[in-house]
Amino acid sequence: MSSNLPPPGAPVLRVRGVNHHFGTGDTRTQVLFDNTLEVMPGELVIMSGPSGSGKTTILTLVGGLRTLQDGEIEVWDSERGDYRAVRGADEAELVNVRRLIGFIFQRHNLFDSLTAMQNVRMAQQLKPSADDPDADARELLSYLLLGDRDISGKPQKPRFDYKPAALSGGQRQRVAIARALANRPKLVLADEPTAALDANSGLAVVTLLQQLARERSDAELGALVRSAEEAGENGRLADWQLPLLKRAAREHGTTSLIVTHDARIMNLADRIVHMERGRIESNVVVAERLFVREGLRQSPAFAAILPEEQEKIADAVLIGVHPNDAARPDQLAARPGRVEVYEKGDAIIREGDPVGPDSKFYLVRRGTLEVFRTVDGAQKKLDELGPGRYFGEVALLLNQPRNATVRAATRAEVYAVNRATFDRYRDVSRPFIDRMLANFRAFEGA
Amino acid sequence: MSLYPPARRALRRAREIGVAVAPAPRYCAAMPKPVPLAWCNLAHDRVRFALFAAGVGFAVVLMGVQYGIMNAMLDSNTVVIERLDCDLVLVNPNRASLLMRGGVSQRRAEQARAAPGVKAAVPVYLEYQAAGLRHTARDSRDRTQTRRIRVVGVDPESGILKLPDVRAEAWARLRTPGTALYDRRSRPHPDRPGETVFGKLEPGARTELAGRDITLVAGFDLGFDFGTDGTLVVSDRTFEKWVREPLYPLNPLAEADLIALRVAPGSAREVQADLRERLGTADVLVLTRDELVSREKRFWWTNTPIGFAFGAGVVLGFVVGMVICYQILASDVADHLPEYATLKAVGYTNRYLSWVVLQEALILAAAGFVPGILFTLGTYAALGALTGLPMVLTPARFALVLALTFVMCAASGLLAVRKVKKVDPADVF
């Protein structure tokens, strides 16, 4: 079973234009409005939003648990090396989609007549496995602290053959999680998976999901092995759990869609999808937001404003693609005006261009740019700008024509902050701007 | 009790079905062993399982006993035919039942005897109406009223009647006119244990048959029916003098009630066809013994309410069992609805879930059948002793009750399956 991921840049899950209605006739109400979402392999996606905003409905549609009424949903089938469409799928095809997915439900729904091991095996039996499924289930349960050792390494009675009635709520939830992950699905859909868990087992679950998503360094994992005092409410791992974790997550690239309010998971998210009243209000790749925020922070125009405000500005230009990945035309088109793409040699701004209401402030997303200025009639290269660098703020601040030309040295993507956004924060940042302008003038004068 | 091992085997097989079978084996190729979900669901709560099995067992008893009584009623009318040691029987076509009148001319016996392949043609005389038996003991308290009795007259030397515990000397003594063999399993006396309604029947006892003295020689075991209270076997001579002469004084034995034919082994069918040609079909019917048995049973089935009354009992048992079984399964499904929905959500098919419910039904059938059939056998023994009816559970009848039980459970399982199919996997989120 080789992990057969979608082609580079292609998502593992594609949701396009999904509308959904509940009820019929007069009671028919729309609960989802034109939702579009792409999730990349290995992403840990958090779905947030108030209850009733449609998060769970989207999850059930993605999981093939409900009939898709309008729009398209495609799930990558790694065994087949192709997408499976949920739209128009008959019951048999929906069953195929469901088998691609590991579900973690808010209610554990274990069979009370089956032992923990048997409950896990119910899932395993759906998929052929070359390895010893018994041993695998045991390791998985042991890692989740249901084996013969507790977090401090003290021997305890293994819970493998316990029936749900003899398990605590948290233990049942962990059995359900082991059941969901037993077949190592490439897509995990979870609804409040850690709600019933204590700090340590919550951390174990989240770390496992992360490790299934991508390989993490020993140092990173080692940092989680700590004393109870150090761990506090964040939980800790035991050193004996690490080998089990690595064996449980030999393959990476698992994508998780998690509906949760648990801040511990929120912090680990790669992508945060926020829903309000049936719409995806924001779809943020955390790394991209950090990238843009960091870029803005460097700029004197935004350095002095509150982090939340910085975040708002950042969110206004994000396109939901990790800054390491090139944006596809359709992704750019989905959020027009946020990122501009230039081919090698294209000029982004020209020296002497007048500044108008359409002029923008730029942040380099990808590629390299070169800054030229005419000095004594000749083009002089002043600087080279890589990802994370900004330009174009001076002209906006001084309301003067551009004082340099910026050209793409390679194919380049730049975030464009429009003038209105820029001007809104001018007053707040006045002192910084003044100091920066003083510096600038001194430099110009020199 | 000899039927216990097959019953045990059936249970074991049903358990195997429950334990070892899972659909979609292609998904289980590398698995250690599939989870026996159906069995676990039932066995989880042992008390409940025992109650369930008792419920199904109750239905089995209901069906088994009703069916047993029905069969006994029908069997009781054919016990005499089944004791005939012959291959073919000639009977008057107008005689719908042995209980009626209508004989076959002795000439037909001569003709049959002359036909190729026929080794012997023995007249058998039967009397149901005219004959009454009365005990004429010296002690007046032992005397009884005249009661109707079935009288069978045969040539004592022909050996046509198979009565295993009647020895040759008894048959020889029967040649003396005025002697008879009596049925030890005649209807028991309601008040005097060990005695029949005809009084104390024993070898040497002097009684009165159709108003004339008769001496009992030996006993045999047969059983009574609801037309008569017992059976006497006499020689054809005694039959002529005691039973027929008062009615047909001129030529009492001009007609036999049945003519039993013995043929060369394996040639019964050919001889039957040949005889039909020779004798015609106007006044004689050539039947194998088994055909006569089923003809007789058919008469009782169609012309009396036995079939309906007890057949309805069987149907009732079936329906009650189905309702019980459906209730059990439906409540089990209802209890596990979120779990079944979860199984659906993770990719189990409707087919698998249906199969689980069906397996539960079959396990219940097996678990209910074993105690049910044992109890039924006990009831048979008690009823047989009490009523003298021949309560027998032949392998074929055992198979029928078994089949009914499984069909009953499977049918209710299929009804309960509909609930599982309606489970919405989206409910679990």
Side-chain angles (χ1 to χ4, degrees):
Chain A
M1 235 184 7
S2 64
S3 65
N4 191 352
L5 295 176
V12 75
L13 167 67
R14 203 181 268 152
V15 178
R16 261 200 300 254
V18 168
N19 292 299
H20 199 78
H21 300 261
F22 280 150
T24 49
D26 288 347
T27 61
R28 186 172 156 96
T29 24
Q30 189 161 3
V31 290
L32 291 181
F33 300 85
D34 190 30
N35 285 293
T36 296
L37 173 68
E38 280 191 355
V39 178
M40 295 295 162
E43 275 189 329
L44 203 74
V45 183
I46 301 297
M47 310 265 297
S48 67
S51 62
S53 58
K55 305 169 303 233
T56 300
T57 312
I58 284 206
L59 280 198
T60 54
L61 286 170
V62 167
L65 305 185
R66 267 182 218 288
T67 312
L68 183 57
Q69 296 169 344
D70 188 25
E72 274 174 50
I73 293 179
E74 288 176 306
V75 181
W76 177 258
D77 184 342
S78 58
E79 306 267 307
R80 220 169 56 146
D82 196 5
Y83 290 95
R84 280 190 189 273
V86 175
R87 172 130 188 113
D90 55 6
E91 183 68 23
E93 178 64 12
L94 284 182
V95 167
N96 285 329
V97 171
R98 291 173 199 159
R99 287 186 179 169
L100 299 176
I101 295 170
F103 290 99
I104 304 174
F105 309 99
Q106 201 167 358
R107 279 167 291 157
H108 56 82
N109 290 336
L110 300 172
F111 263 97
D112 54 5
S113 58
L114 301 182
T115 64
M117 282 290 283
Q118 283 175 318
N119 267 298
V120 175
R121 194 171 298 150
M122 283 306 291
Q124 289 178 317
Q125 337 220 84
L126 281 171
K127 219 175 179 187
S129 155
D131 308 329
D132 181 356
D134 247 2
D136 186 59
R138 247 183 228 112
E139 283 193 9
L140 209 48
L141 290 171
S142 299
Y143 169 74
L144 294 171
L145 301 170
L146 295 168
D148 54 4
R149 266 189 284 184
D150 70 359
I151 185 78
S152 28
K154 274 185 285 196
Q156 64 174 12
K157 214 156 173 273
R159 304 295 201 272
F160 303 142
D161 297 324
Y162 281 39
K163 288 183 179 174
L167 296 172
S168 72
Q171 289 170 333
R172 283 178 220 162
Q173 180 66 4
R174 277 176 275 158
V175 175
I177 289 168
R179 175 176 66 183
L181 300 179
N183 289 338
R184 304 298 189 277
K186 286 286 169 255
L187 179 58
V188 175
L189 303 182
D191 196 357
E192 296 287 358
T194 54
L197 300 185
D198 61 284
N200 293 338
S201 36
L203 182 68
V205 170
V206 173
T207 310
L208 177 56
L209 285 176
Q210 269 191 305
Q211 186 75 10
L212 284 166
R214 81 184 80 89
E215 177 92 66
R216 304 176 76 210
S217 70
D218 287 347
E220 248 182 301
L221 292 175
L224 299 174
V225 179
R226 49 197 170 191
S227 69
E229 296 76 43
E230 255 180 284
E233 284 179 9
N234 293 322
R236 61 192 178 116
L237 293 183
D239 50 1
W240 62 262
Q241 279 176 298
L242 294 186
L244 290 177
L245 171 66
K246 285 183 179 163
R247 272 212 295 282
R250 270 184 302 255
E251 286 178 19
H252 311 285
T254 300
T255 308
S256 304
L257 240 71
I258 305 174
V259 170
T260 189
H261 296 99
D262 188 340
R264 291 171 301 182
I265 309 187
M266 294 275 222
N267 293 337
L268 303 170
D270 295 316
R271 182 190 292 273
I272 296 175
V273 175
H274 186 75
M275 293 193 72
E276 295 273 357
R277 293 179 298 281
R279 286 191 175 85
I280 293 180
E281 287 291 310
S282 73
N283 171 9
V284 174
V285 172
V286 175
E288 189 192 23
R289 179 190 258 169
L290 275 175
F291 176 86
V292 174
R293 253 182 67 186
E294 192 57 28
L296 292 176
R297 226 159 53 83
Q298 303 296 323
S299 153
F302 300 105
I305 61 178
L306 290 170
E308 297 91 273
E309 299 290 335
Q310 290 175 348
E311 198 157 274
K312 270 190 201 159
I313 301 169
D315 288 356
V317 296
L318 298 180
I319 54 167
V321 179
H322 196 282
N324 288 349
D325 296 327
R328 294 193 317 265
D330 61 301
Q331 289 169 328
L332 295 173
R335 292 169 171 196
R338 296 185 167 202
V339 167
E340 295 170 2
V341 181
Y342 295 93
E343 296 305 323
K344 184 179 177 181
D346 287 353
I348 297 139
I349 54 175
R350 284 202 174 77
E351 194 175 354
D353 278 354
V355 172
D358 296 338
S359 299
K360 291 164 185 163
F361 167 83
Y362 297 96
L363 179 69
V364 183
R365 177 178 145 83
R366 286 172 67 80
T368 312
L369 305 173
E370 289 171 326
V371 185
F372 297 96
R373 183 178 293 171
T374 319
V375 178
D376 306 330
Q379 289 261 308
K380 189 186 168 201
K381 182 170 160 185
L382 290 184
D383 202 357
E384 218 170 72
L385 303 176
R389 298 286 298 276
Y390 62 93
F391 62 94
E393 83 286 7
V394 173
L396 296 185
L397 290 173
L398 298 177
N399 219 356
Q400 289 175 350
R402 301 287 188 189
N403 61 2
T405 302
V406 179
R407 248 179 239 288
T410 62
R411 188 181 185 276
E413 298 174 3
V414 292
Y415 292 104
V417 181
N418 61 31
R419 179 100 195 240
T421 312
F422 188 82
D423 284 347
R424 203 182 312 146
Y425 298 99
R426 267 173 83 144
D427 293 339
V428 185
S429 303
R430 200 78 245 171
F432 287 84
I433 293 171
D434 285 346
R435 199 183 312 157
M436 196 266 324
L437 286 177
N439 282 341
F440 175 74
R441 289 205 181 92
F443 174 76
E444 288 285 280
Chain B
M1 293 302 276
S2 64
L3 286 165
Y4 185 53
R8 206 169 40 187
R9 270 203 300 281
L11 172 69
R12 202 166 53 221
R13 236 184 65 209
R15 276 202 177 146
E16 276 166 16
I17 291 168
V19 170
V21 183
R26 63 209 151 104
Y27 295 113
C28 313
M31 298 306 304
K33 76 173 191 267
V35 178
L37 183 58
W39 172 248
C40 290
N41 275 352
L42 286 174
H44 177 55
D45 188 339
R46 296 191 183 247
V47 176
R48 210 175 58 146
F49 184 41
L51 283 175
F52 287 174
V56 175
F58 173 70
V60 172
V61 172
L62 216 56
M63 287 193 293
V65 169
Q66 296 285 329
Y67 185 54
I69 294 176
M70 181 181 92
N71 282 316
M73 295 282 195
L74 298 175
D75 289 351
S76 66
N77 296 296
T78 59
V79 284
V80 175
I81 306 172
E82 283 176 71
R83 292 299 176 103
L84 292 179
D85 183 16
C86 67
D87 306 298
L88 297 175
V89 183
L90 305 188
V91 65
N92 189 322
N94 294 327
R95 188 169 191 163
S97 159
L98 294 187
L99 209 59
M100 300 181 172
R101 293 205 170 274
V104 181
S105 161
Q106 297 284 5
R107 255 185 333 113
R108 293 299 187 192
E110 293 301 328
Q111 284 174 325
R113 215 168 273 134
V118 177
K119 294 205 295 191
V122 185
V124 177
Y125 306 95
L126 295 171
E127 183 56 56
Y128 283 83
Q129 274 95 6
L133 187 72
R134 185 167 85 92
H135 208 286
T136 53
R138 193 158 295 157
D139 183 346
S140 62
R141 279 171 305 177
D142 287 343
R143 291 184 195 154
T144 58
Q145 294 174 322
T146 307
R147 295 184 76 113
R148 213 137 44 110
I149 194 162
R150 173 165 56 196
V151 187
V152 183
V154 290
D155 176 359
E157 279 156 33
S158 66
I160 199 73
L161 210 54
K162 282 181 293 185
L163 297 173
D165 42 0
V166 177
R167 282 172 298 178
E169 49 176 326
W171 283 112
R173 285 179 61 193
L174 207 58
R175 280 181 3 222
T176 318
T179 54
L181 305 176
Y182 67 95
D183 184 3
R184 281 189 287 262
R185 294 187 56 209
S186 297
R187 190 182 296 279
H189 196 285
D191 303 325
R192 304 187 192 171
E195 287 191 19
T196 72
V197 289
F198 303 108
K200 198 171 168 69
L201 297 183
E202 55 195 348
R206 293 177 62 79
T207 56
E208 209 176 73
L209 174 63
R212 296 174 64 180
D213 282 353
I214 200 158
T215 310
L216 301 184
V217 173
F220 58 89
D221 288 312
L222 196 64
F224 53 93
D225 58 25
F226 36 79
T228 55
D229 292 327
T231 305
L232 281 188
V233 174
V234 298
S235 70
D236 44 359
R237 291 284 301 152
T238 312
F239 192 87
E240 180 184 5
K241 296 287 174 212
W242 264 253
V243 180
R244 281 287 150 88
E245 221 172 50
L247 296 172
Y248 307 103
L250 293 181
N251 192 357
L253 294 189
E255 288 188 338
D257 294 87
L258 296 174
I259 292 169
L261 307 182
R262 286 204 196 102
V263 301
S267 63
R269 286 285 164 198
E270 293 163 43
V271 175
Q272 186 184 19
D274 178 52
L275 281 178
R276 276 184 182 158
E277 212 150 290
R278 281 163 184 271
L279 306 179
T281 51
D283 64 339
V284 67
L285 212 53
V286 187
L287 300 175
T288 65
R289 199 187 59 183
D290 291 345
E291 281 170 354
L292 183 63
V293 167
S294 40
R295 181 173 183 265
E296 183 72 19
K297 281 187 181 166
R298 205 162 49 243
F299 171 82
W300 288 98
W301 177 271
T302 51
N303 289 281
T304 65
I306 299 171
F308 180 78
F310 294 99
V314 176
V315 172
L316 195 74
F318 185 85
V319 171
V320 166
M322 232 177 98
V323 170
I324 293 175
C325 201
Y326 175 75
Q327 281 297 327
I328 293 168
L329 293 171
S331 73
D332 186 68
V333 169
D335 289 350
H336 292 115
L337 227 44
E339 288 92 328
Y340 282 119
T342 305
L343 287 189
K344 256 193 193 180
V346 303
Y348 277 97
T349 54
N350 270 333
R351 232 185 60 191
Y352 174 85
L353 298 181
S354 307
W355 176 232
V356 169
V357 175
L358 211 57
Q359 279 180 69
E360 288 188 17
L362 296 179
I363 294 170
L364 276 178
F369 182 77
V370 174
I373 204 72
L374 290 177
F375 193 84
T376 302
L377 285 171
T379 313
Y380 276 22
L383 275 179
L386 206 67
T387 63
L389 286 170
M391 306 282 293
V392 195
L393 195 65
T394 62
R397 290 172 188 172
F398 176 89
L400 184 81
V401 177
L402 183 70
L404 278 178
T405 309
F406 274 86
V407 168
M408 169 182 94
C409 285
S412 50
L414 287 174
L415 283 177
V417 158
R418 294 185 315 170
K419 280 198 155 189
V420 174
K421 284 192 174 156
K422 272 192 266 176
V423 171
D424 185 357
D427 284 348
V428 295
F429 261 112

